[in-house]
Tab-separated table of all heavy atoms in Angstrom:
chain	number	residue	atom	x	y	z
A	38	VAL	N	-57.034	13.553	-69.083
A	38	VAL	CA	-57.533	12.191	-69.279
A	38	VAL	C	-58.712	11.932	-68.346
A	38	VAL	O	-59.762	11.420	-68.758
A	38	VAL	CB	-56.410	11.146	-69.055
A	38	VAL	CG1	-56.977	9.732	-68.989
A	38	VAL	CG2	-55.360	11.260	-70.155
A	39	ALA	N	-58.557	12.330	-67.072
A	39	ALA	CA	-59.649	12.153	-66.111
A	39	ALA	C	-60.885	12.933	-66.546
A	39	ALA	O	-62.014	12.437	-66.436
A	39	ALA	CB	-59.204	12.599	-64.719
A	40	ALA	N	-60.673	14.127	-67.066
A	40	ALA	CA	-61.800	14.939	-67.521
A	40	ALA	C	-62.521	14.268	-68.690
A	40	ALA	O	-63.751	14.240	-68.735
A	40	ALA	CB	-61.305	16.334	-67.929
A	41	GLU	N	-61.753	13.738	-69.606
A	41	GLU	CA	-62.370	13.078	-70.761
A	41	GLU	C	-63.165	11.842	-70.331
A	41	GLU	O	-64.289	11.632	-70.780
A	41	GLU	CB	-61.293	12.682	-71.779
A	41	GLU	CG	-61.878	12.106	-73.046
A	41	GLU	CD	-60.844	11.879	-74.128
A	41	GLU	OE1	-59.796	12.546	-74.122
A	41	GLU	OE2	-61.116	11.026	-74.987
A	42	ILE	N	-62.596	11.064	-69.462
A	42	ILE	CA	-63.261	9.838	-69.018
A	42	ILE	C	-64.533	10.149	-68.240
A	42	ILE	O	-65.547	9.457	-68.375
A	42	ILE	CB	-62.294	8.978	-68.173
A	42	ILE	CG1	-61.207	8.418	-69.087
A	42	ILE	CG2	-63.024	7.870	-67.436
A	42	ILE	CD1	-60.062	7.755	-68.349
A	43	THR	N	-64.511	11.203	-67.427
A	43	THR	CA	-65.669	11.541	-66.599
A	43	THR	C	-66.624	12.521	-67.285
A	43	THR	O	-67.609	12.931	-66.679
A	43	THR	CB	-65.208	12.140	-65.249
A	43	THR	OG1	-64.428	13.314	-65.499
A	43	THR	CG2	-64.411	11.129	-64.441
A	44	HIS	N	-66.295	12.877	-68.522
A	44	HIS	CA	-67.122	13.801	-69.311
A	44	HIS	C	-67.248	15.168	-68.635
A	44	HIS	O	-68.335	15.750	-68.570
A	44	HIS	CB	-68.510	13.206	-69.595
A	44	HIS	CG	-68.438	11.864	-70.245
A	44	HIS	ND1	-68.070	11.713	-71.553
A	44	HIS	CD2	-68.668	10.621	-69.752
A	44	HIS	CE1	-68.074	10.425	-71.861
A	44	HIS	NE2	-68.433	9.745	-70.781
A	45	LYS	N	-66.134	15.632	-68.098
A	45	LYS	CA	-66.061	16.951	-67.487
A	45	LYS	C	-64.946	17.724	-68.175
A	45	LYS	O	-64.169	17.152	-68.929
A	45	LYS	CB	-65.766	16.836	-65.986
A	45	LYS	CG	-66.859	16.104	-65.236
A	45	LYS	CD	-66.498	15.921	-63.795
A	45	LYS	CE	-67.638	15.135	-63.120
A	45	LYS	NZ	-67.316	14.775	-61.768
A	46	ASN	N	-64.861	19.006	-67.869
A	46	ASN	CA	-63.740	19.753	-68.423
A	46	ASN	C	-62.605	19.815	-67.408
A	46	ASN	O	-62.751	19.396	-66.265
A	46	ASN	CB	-64.167	21.152	-68.900
A	46	ASN	CG	-64.676	22.033	-67.776
A	46	ASN	OD1	-64.107	22.056	-66.693
A	46	ASN	ND2	-65.741	22.770	-68.042
A	47	ARG	N	-61.466	20.313	-67.842
A	47	ARG	CA	-60.284	20.372	-66.993
A	47	ARG	C	-60.558	21.165	-65.718
A	47	ARG	O	-60.152	20.767	-64.624
A	47	ARG	CB	-59.125	20.991	-67.772
A	47	ARG	CG	-57.842	21.063	-66.959
A	47	ARG	CD	-56.763	21.868	-67.664
A	47	ARG	NE	-56.331	21.215	-68.879
A	47	ARG	CZ	-55.672	21.833	-69.857
A	47	ARG	NH1	-55.393	23.114	-69.752
A	47	ARG	NH2	-55.293	21.190	-70.927
A	48	THR	N	-61.239	22.284	-65.845
A	48	THR	CA	-61.518	23.119	-64.675
A	48	THR	C	-62.337	22.358	-63.638
A	48	THR	O	-62.020	22.376	-62.448
A	48	THR	CB	-62.250	24.405	-65.102
A	48	THR	OG1	-61.404	25.139	-65.996
A	48	THR	CG2	-62.599	25.265	-63.906
A	49	GLU	N	-63.381	21.680	-64.075
A	49	GLU	CA	-64.210	20.902	-63.142
A	49	GLU	C	-63.382	19.823	-62.442
A	49	GLU	O	-63.548	19.587	-61.241
A	49	GLU	CB	-65.373	20.249	-63.876
A	49	GLU	CG	-66.416	21.229	-64.371
A	49	GLU	CD	-67.444	20.566	-65.279
A	49	GLU	OE1	-67.055	19.757	-66.150
A	49	GLU	OE2	-68.639	20.855	-65.089
A	50	THR	N	-62.493	19.190	-63.197
A	50	THR	CA	-61.659	18.133	-62.640
A	50	THR	C	-60.713	18.688	-61.573
A	50	THR	O	-60.575	18.115	-60.488
A	50	THR	CB	-60.855	17.443	-63.761
A	50	THR	OG1	-61.773	16.918	-64.726
A	50	THR	CG2	-59.992	16.329	-63.227
A	51	VAL	N	-60.086	19.819	-61.850
A	51	VAL	CA	-59.163	20.437	-60.890
A	51	VAL	C	-59.933	20.934	-59.665
A	51	VAL	O	-59.481	20.777	-58.524
A	51	VAL	CB	-58.350	21.565	-61.560
A	51	VAL	CG1	-57.545	22.346	-60.536
A	51	VAL	CG2	-57.426	20.993	-62.637
A	52	ILE	N	-61.112	21.520	-59.870
A	52	ILE	CA	-61.934	21.987	-58.740
A	52	ILE	C	-62.292	20.810	-57.832
A	52	ILE	O	-62.179	20.905	-56.605
A	52	ILE	CB	-63.204	22.704	-59.238
A	52	ILE	CG1	-62.842	24.066	-59.825
A	52	ILE	CG2	-64.227	22.860	-58.116
A	52	ILE	CD1	-63.994	24.750	-60.557
A	53	GLU	N	-62.728	19.709	-58.411
A	53	GLU	CA	-63.085	18.539	-57.602
A	53	GLU	C	-61.888	18.011	-56.825
A	53	GLU	O	-62.011	17.649	-55.649
A	53	GLU	CB	-63.674	17.445	-58.489
A	53	GLU	CG	-65.091	17.712	-58.915
A	53	GLU	CD	-65.681	16.584	-59.748
A	53	GLU	OE1	-65.085	15.474	-59.783
A	53	GLU	OE2	-66.733	16.805	-60.354
A	54	ALA	N	-60.723	17.966	-57.465
A	54	ALA	CA	-59.526	17.464	-56.790
A	54	ALA	C	-59.124	18.388	-55.642
A	54	ALA	O	-58.787	17.927	-54.543
A	54	ALA	CB	-58.380	17.330	-57.789
A	55	LEU	N	-59.181	19.682	-55.865
A	55	LEU	CA	-58.832	20.640	-54.822
A	55	LEU	C	-59.832	20.573	-53.674
A	55	LEU	O	-59.448	20.593	-52.500
A	55	LEU	CB	-58.766	22.053	-55.400
A	55	LEU	CG	-58.385	23.171	-54.433
A	55	LEU	CD1	-57.049	22.895	-53.755
A	55	LEU	CD2	-58.368	24.513	-55.157
A	56	GLN	N	-61.114	20.447	-54.002
A	56	GLN	CA	-62.140	20.353	-52.959
A	56	GLN	C	-61.949	19.095	-52.120
A	56	GLN	O	-62.071	19.125	-50.896
A	56	GLN	CB	-63.542	20.369	-53.572
A	56	GLN	CG	-64.642	20.446	-52.536
A	56	GLN	CD	-64.565	21.701	-51.696
A	56	GLN	OE1	-64.634	22.796	-52.223
A	56	GLN	NE2	-64.434	21.555	-50.389
A	57	GLU	N	-61.624	18.000	-52.769
A	57	GLU	CA	-61.382	16.750	-52.043
A	57	GLU	C	-60.190	16.899	-51.103
A	57	GLU	O	-60.234	16.465	-49.944
A	57	GLU	CB	-61.139	15.608	-53.038
A	57	GLU	CG	-61.008	14.254	-52.390
A	57	GLU	CD	-60.880	13.148	-53.426
A	57	GLU	OE1	-61.641	13.144	-54.404
A	57	GLU	OE2	-59.996	12.287	-53.228
A	58	TYR	N	-59.127	17.529	-51.571
A	58	TYR	CA	-57.948	17.759	-50.729
A	58	TYR	C	-58.304	18.638	-49.534
A	58	TYR	O	-57.943	18.333	-48.397
A	58	TYR	CB	-56.828	18.411	-51.545
A	58	TYR	CG	-55.711	18.913	-50.676
A	58	TYR	CD1	-54.782	18.029	-50.125
A	58	TYR	CD2	-55.597	20.262	-50.368
A	58	TYR	CE1	-53.772	18.482	-49.294
A	58	TYR	CE2	-54.593	20.720	-49.537
A	58	TYR	CZ	-53.678	19.833	-49.003
A	58	TYR	OH	-52.684	20.285	-48.182
A	59	LEU	N	-59.023	19.724	-49.772
A	59	LEU	CA	-59.394	20.635	-48.689
A	59	LEU	C	-60.303	19.948	-47.677
A	59	LEU	O	-60.156	20.150	-46.469
A	59	LEU	CB	-60.047	21.897	-49.244
A	59	LEU	CG	-59.104	22.821	-50.014
A	59	LEU	CD1	-59.886	23.955	-50.676
A	59	LEU	CD2	-57.998	23.362	-49.126
A	60	ASN	N	-61.231	19.131	-48.146
A	60	ASN	CA	-62.093	18.379	-47.232
A	60	ASN	C	-61.253	17.469	-46.330
A	60	ASN	O	-61.545	17.312	-45.142
A	60	ASN	CB	-63.115	17.547	-47.986
A	60	ASN	CG	-64.196	18.389	-48.624
A	60	ASN	OD1	-64.406	19.538	-48.262
A	60	ASN	ND2	-64.870	17.818	-49.605
A	61	GLU	N	-60.216	16.889	-46.892
A	61	GLU	CA	-59.351	15.991	-46.136
A	61	GLU	C	-58.554	16.755	-45.069
A	61	GLU	O	-58.509	16.349	-43.912
A	61	GLU	CB	-58.393	15.271	-47.087
A	61	GLU	CG	-57.562	14.203	-46.437
A	61	GLU	CD	-56.709	13.470	-47.455
A	61	GLU	OE1	-57.269	12.987	-48.458
A	61	GLU	OE2	-55.492	13.375	-47.234
A	62	VAL	N	-57.932	17.872	-45.439
A	62	VAL	CA	-57.114	18.600	-44.458
A	62	VAL	C	-57.970	19.308	-43.419
A	62	VAL	O	-57.531	19.511	-42.285
A	62	VAL	CB	-56.131	19.604	-45.102
A	62	VAL	CG1	-55.117	18.891	-45.968
A	62	VAL	CG2	-56.827	20.703	-45.854
A	63	GLU	N	-59.193	19.664	-43.767
A	63	GLU	CA	-60.084	20.329	-42.816
A	63	GLU	C	-60.418	19.442	-41.628
A	63	GLU	O	-60.768	19.938	-40.558
A	63	GLU	CB	-61.381	20.769	-43.503
A	63	GLU	CG	-61.217	21.961	-44.401
A	63	GLU	CD	-62.473	22.267	-45.207
A	63	GLU	OE1	-63.485	21.553	-45.070
A	63	GLU	OE2	-62.434	23.231	-45.972
A	64	ASP	N	-60.306	18.143	-41.785
A	64	ASP	CA	-60.594	17.210	-40.701
A	64	ASP	C	-59.416	17.062	-39.734
A	64	ASP	O	-59.559	16.460	-38.681
A	64	ASP	CB	-60.963	15.830	-41.267
A	64	ASP	CG	-62.329	15.834	-41.929
A	64	ASP	OD1	-63.152	16.703	-41.587
A	64	ASP	OD2	-62.574	14.969	-42.786
A	65	ASP	N	-58.264	17.609	-40.087
A	65	ASP	CA	-57.065	17.492	-39.275
A	65	ASP	C	-57.064	18.573	-38.187
A	65	ASP	O	-57.179	19.764	-38.479
A	65	ASP	CB	-55.832	17.636	-40.168
A	65	ASP	CG	-54.550	17.497	-39.390
A	65	ASP	OD1	-54.215	16.371	-39.000
A	65	ASP	OD2	-53.900	18.540	-39.154
A	66	ASP	N	-56.947	18.158	-36.927
A	66	ASP	CA	-56.998	19.106	-35.814
A	66	ASP	C	-55.863	20.125	-35.855
A	66	ASP	O	-56.069	21.291	-35.540
A	66	ASP	CB	-56.978	18.356	-34.478
A	66	ASP	CG	-58.287	17.635	-34.200
A	66	ASP	OD1	-59.328	18.032	-34.767
A	66	ASP	OD2	-58.276	16.667	-33.421
A	67	GLN	N	-54.669	19.695	-36.240
A	67	GLN	CA	-53.546	20.631	-36.329
A	67	GLN	C	-53.805	21.690	-37.396
A	67	GLN	O	-53.452	22.854	-37.223
A	67	GLN	CB	-52.240	19.899	-36.620
A	67	GLN	CG	-51.719	19.102	-35.438
A	67	GLN	CD	-50.422	18.398	-35.766
A	67	GLN	OE1	-50.202	17.963	-36.895
A	67	GLN	NE2	-49.562	18.273	-34.771
A	68	PHE	N	-54.429	21.290	-38.478
A	68	PHE	CA	-54.759	22.236	-39.537
A	68	PHE	C	-55.756	23.265	-39.021
A	68	PHE	O	-55.589	24.470	-39.228
A	68	PHE	CB	-55.325	21.498	-40.757
A	68	PHE	CG	-55.647	22.405	-41.910
A	68	PHE	CD1	-54.665	22.778	-42.803
A	68	PHE	CD2	-56.936	22.890	-42.086
A	68	PHE	CE1	-54.955	23.621	-43.859
A	68	PHE	CE2	-57.229	23.729	-43.147
A	68	PHE	CZ	-56.242	24.091	-44.038
A	69	LYS	N	-56.783	22.786	-38.313
A	69	LYS	CA	-57.786	23.693	-37.757
A	69	LYS	C	-57.148	24.683	-36.784
A	69	LYS	O	-57.467	25.873	-36.785
A	69	LYS	CB	-58.894	22.916	-37.054
A	69	LYS	CG	-59.827	22.200	-37.996
A	69	LYS	CD	-60.898	21.450	-37.233
A	69	LYS	CE	-61.812	20.709	-38.173
A	69	LYS	NZ	-62.845	19.959	-37.453
A	70	GLU	N	-56.233	24.183	-35.952
A	70	GLU	CA	-55.541	25.063	-35.006
A	70	GLU	C	-54.740	26.131	-35.747
A	70	GLU	O	-54.700	27.289	-35.327
A	70	GLU	CB	-54.630	24.247	-34.094
A	70	GLU	CG	-55.388	23.400	-33.087
A	70	GLU	CD	-54.490	22.465	-32.299
A	70	GLU	OE1	-53.248	22.645	-32.322
A	70	GLU	OE2	-55.020	21.555	-31.645
A	71	ALA	N	-54.106	25.746	-36.828
A	71	ALA	CA	-53.328	26.702	-37.617
A	71	ALA	C	-54.236	27.754	-38.248
A	71	ALA	O	-53.880	28.935	-38.314
A	71	ALA	CB	-52.521	25.966	-38.689
A	72	VAL	N	-55.418	27.341	-38.687
A	72	VAL	CA	-56.382	28.293	-39.253
A	72	VAL	C	-56.827	29.281	-38.180
A	72	VAL	O	-56.906	30.493	-38.427
A	72	VAL	CB	-57.595	27.557	-39.872
A	72	VAL	CG1	-58.704	28.523	-40.237
A	72	VAL	CG2	-57.174	26.763	-41.092
A	73	VAL	N	-57.087	28.789	-36.981
A	73	VAL	CA	-57.478	29.672	-35.874
A	73	VAL	C	-56.356	30.667	-35.585
A	73	VAL	O	-56.613	31.865	-35.385
A	73	VAL	CB	-57.844	28.860	-34.616
A	73	VAL	CG1	-57.986	29.757	-33.394
A	73	VAL	CG2	-59.133	28.074	-34.854
A	74	GLU	N	-55.120	30.203	-35.580
A	74	GLU	CA	-53.980	31.102	-35.343
A	74	GLU	C	-53.915	32.198	-36.407
A	74	GLU	O	-53.627	33.356	-36.088
A	74	GLU	CB	-52.674	30.318	-35.314
A	74	GLU	CG	-52.488	29.491	-34.075
A	74	GLU	CD	-52.423	30.329	-32.799
A	74	GLU	OE1	-51.818	31.421	-32.811
A	74	GLU	OE2	-52.989	29.883	-31.780
A	75	LEU	N	-54.172	31.833	-37.652
A	75	LEU	CA	-54.180	32.848	-38.718
A	75	LEU	C	-55.241	33.903	-38.435
A	75	LEU	O	-55.010	35.099	-38.642
A	75	LEU	CB	-54.436	32.197	-40.080
A	75	LEU	CG	-53.309	31.335	-40.645
A	75	LEU	CD1	-53.767	30.672	-41.947
A	75	LEU	CD2	-52.059	32.161	-40.885
A	76	TYR	N	-56.397	33.479	-37.965
A	76	TYR	CA	-57.464	34.429	-37.628
A	76	TYR	C	-57.059	35.303	-36.446
A	76	TYR	O	-57.221	36.527	-36.482
A	76	TYR	CB	-58.765	33.689	-37.324
A	76	TYR	CG	-59.849	34.617	-36.840
A	76	TYR	CD1	-60.476	35.489	-37.724
A	76	TYR	CD2	-60.218	34.652	-35.504
A	76	TYR	CE1	-61.455	36.367	-37.283
A	76	TYR	CE2	-61.200	35.517	-35.056
A	76	TYR	CZ	-61.808	36.375	-35.954
A	76	TYR	OH	-62.771	37.257	-35.505
A	77	LEU	N	-56.506	34.690	-35.411
A	77	LEU	CA	-56.111	35.453	-34.228
A	77	LEU	C	-55.011	36.464	-34.557
A	77	LEU	O	-54.924	37.515	-33.929
A	77	LEU	CB	-55.647	34.509	-33.108
A	77	LEU	CG	-56.736	33.607	-32.521
A	77	LEU	CD1	-56.132	32.629	-31.528
A	77	LEU	CD2	-57.857	34.427	-31.886
A	78	ASP	N	-54.192	36.142	-35.546
A	78	ASP	CA	-53.129	37.053	-35.993
A	78	ASP	C	-53.611	38.045	-37.052
A	78	ASP	O	-52.801	38.737	-37.663
A	78	ASP	CB	-51.944	36.259	-36.544
A	78	ASP	CG	-51.196	35.475	-35.486
A	78	ASP	OD1	-51.338	35.802	-34.286
A	78	ASP	OD2	-50.473	34.524	-35.842
A	79	ASP	N	-54.926	38.077	-37.291
A	79	ASP	CA	-55.531	38.974	-38.292
A	79	ASP	C	-55.003	38.745	-39.708
A	79	ASP	O	-54.935	39.665	-40.511
A	79	ASP	CB	-55.332	40.442	-37.891
A	79	ASP	CG	-56.071	40.795	-36.619
A	79	ASP	OD1	-57.202	40.306	-36.436
A	79	ASP	OD2	-55.511	41.558	-35.795
A	80	ARG	N	-54.684	37.497	-40.022
A	80	ARG	CA	-54.185	37.186	-41.357
A	80	ARG	C	-55.271	36.634	-42.269
A	80	ARG	O	-55.085	36.561	-43.491
A	80	ARG	CB	-53.008	36.229	-41.253
A	80	ARG	CG	-51.823	36.927	-40.538
A	80	ARG	CD	-50.669	36.032	-40.238
A	80	ARG	NE	-50.158	35.351	-41.401
A	80	ARG	CZ	-49.373	34.287	-41.332
A	80	ARG	NH1	-49.017	33.802	-40.164
A	80	ARG	NH2	-48.947	33.709	-42.428
A	81	ILE	N	-56.397	36.199	-41.685
A	81	ILE	CA	-57.564	35.792	-42.470
A	81	ILE	C	-58.804	36.402	-41.831
A	81	ILE	O	-58.805	36.757	-40.654
A	81	ILE	CB	-57.715	34.249	-42.574
A	81	ILE	CG1	-57.937	33.619	-41.193
A	81	ILE	CG2	-56.544	33.626	-43.316
A	81	ILE	CD1	-58.290	32.132	-41.239
A	82	SER	N	-59.850	36.506	-42.610
A	82	SER	CA	-61.100	37.106	-42.134
A	82	SER	C	-61.940	36.083	-41.372
A	82	SER	O	-61.711	34.869	-41.447
A	82	SER	CB	-61.905	37.639	-43.313
A	82	SER	OG	-62.409	36.553	-44.079
A	83	PHE	N	-62.935	36.607	-40.675
A	83	PHE	CA	-63.880	35.742	-39.962
A	83	PHE	C	-64.589	34.813	-40.943
A	83	PHE	O	-64.800	33.632	-40.647
A	83	PHE	CB	-64.892	36.585	-39.185
A	83	PHE	CG	-65.940	35.762	-38.508
A	83	PHE	CD1	-65.650	35.064	-37.350
A	83	PHE	CD2	-67.216	35.657	-39.044
A	83	PHE	CE1	-66.613	34.276	-36.724
A	83	PHE	CE2	-68.186	34.881	-38.427
A	83	PHE	CZ	-67.876	34.186	-37.256
A	84	ASP	N	-64.967	35.326	-42.106
A	84	ASP	CA	-65.673	34.494	-43.087
A	84	ASP	C	-64.818	33.309	-43.541
A	84	ASP	O	-65.335	32.201	-43.734
A	84	ASP	CB	-66.097	35.334	-44.290
A	84	ASP	CG	-67.245	36.272	-43.956
A	84	ASP	OD1	-67.987	35.989	-42.994
A	84	ASP	OD2	-67.394	37.299	-44.646
Side-chain angles (χ1 to χ4, degrees):
V38 169
E41 185 172 336
I42 290 170
T43 59
H44 305 287
K45 298 176 182 173
N46 63 42
R47 181 189 294 162
T48 299
E49 291 171 317
T50 302
V51 172
I52 288 170
E53 284 182 14
L55 181 56
Q56 187 61 60
E57 185 175 315
Y58 169 76
L59 291 173
N60 288 342
E61 187 176 307
V62 297
E63 286 173 0
D64 289 337
D65 181 74
D66 288 337
Q67 288 180 326
F68 182 84
K69 287 180 181 179
E70 289 173 14
V72 170
V73 169
E74 287 298 321
L75 290 175
Y76 174 73
L77 294 174
D78 292 341
D79 295 321
R80 295 173 55 197
I81 63 172
S82 70
F83 176 76
D84 288 337

